[in-house]
Amino acid sequence: MTDATPPTATEADEAPDYETLTRDIAEVPAVEVITTVAVHLLSAAAVNLGLDKPDSEHKDLDEARKLITALAGLVTASATEISSFHAAPLRDGLKSLQLAFREASLVPDEPGQGPGEKFTGPVFG
């Protein structure tokens, strides 16, 4: 099938029902959306730190710094909204990433200057 071929009736019937999808996302609790985004940021930062597997070819500390800072901002800003039950594990994961970043850096940042530390304060091992 080429790009110029119009969709067949069966392909049109399989198109997603955007109205239903919109209603579905409206039913998702905010805490679930926030924690899902945080887990995605955590995972992406871990991969960019090379923590996904030994000898990872995905190591990119500049990208990891951005992701960790975004995660720190999200966790800090939303902690009172999502309760400590949800925030505590996210804070633990964030601290682990911050420490892993410090360890992976050839020239470690000064305390309080690492990724996300403007939101969390200095992180020590």
Side-chain angles (χ1 to χ4, degrees), residues 45-77:
V47 168
N48 279 289
L49 285 171
L51 301 176
D52 58 330
K53 58 185 176 185
D55 300 324
S56 175
E57 67 272 2
H58 299 291
K59 195 170 187 176
D60 186 338
L61 295 183
D62 186 47
E63 290 293 302
R65 177 182 292 275
K66 294 171 190 171
L67 292 162
I68 294 168
T69 299
L71 176 63
L74 176 63
V75 171
T76 302

Side-chain angles (χ1 to χ4, degrees), residues 70-114:
L71 176 63
L74 176 63
V75 171
T76 302
S78 64
T80 58
E81 303 295 328
I82 63 173
S83 80
S84 61
F85 176 77
H86 295 284
L90 295 176
R91 281 193 195 110
D92 291 344
L94 171 60
K95 182 178 180 181
S96 294
L97 288 174
Q98 289 171 311
L99 292 172
F101 184 92
R102 186 174 301 276
E103 189 175 302
S105 297
L106 295 176
V107 181
D109 296 312
E110 292 294 320
Q113 301 301 310

Side-chain angles (χ1 to χ4, degrees), residues 23-37 81-82 86:
R23 275 186 263 135
D24 289 346
I25 194 68
E27 295 170 7
V28 178
V31 67
E32 192 173 325
V33 174
I34 293 166
T35 55
T36 299
V37 169
E81 303 295 328
I82 63 173
H86 295 284

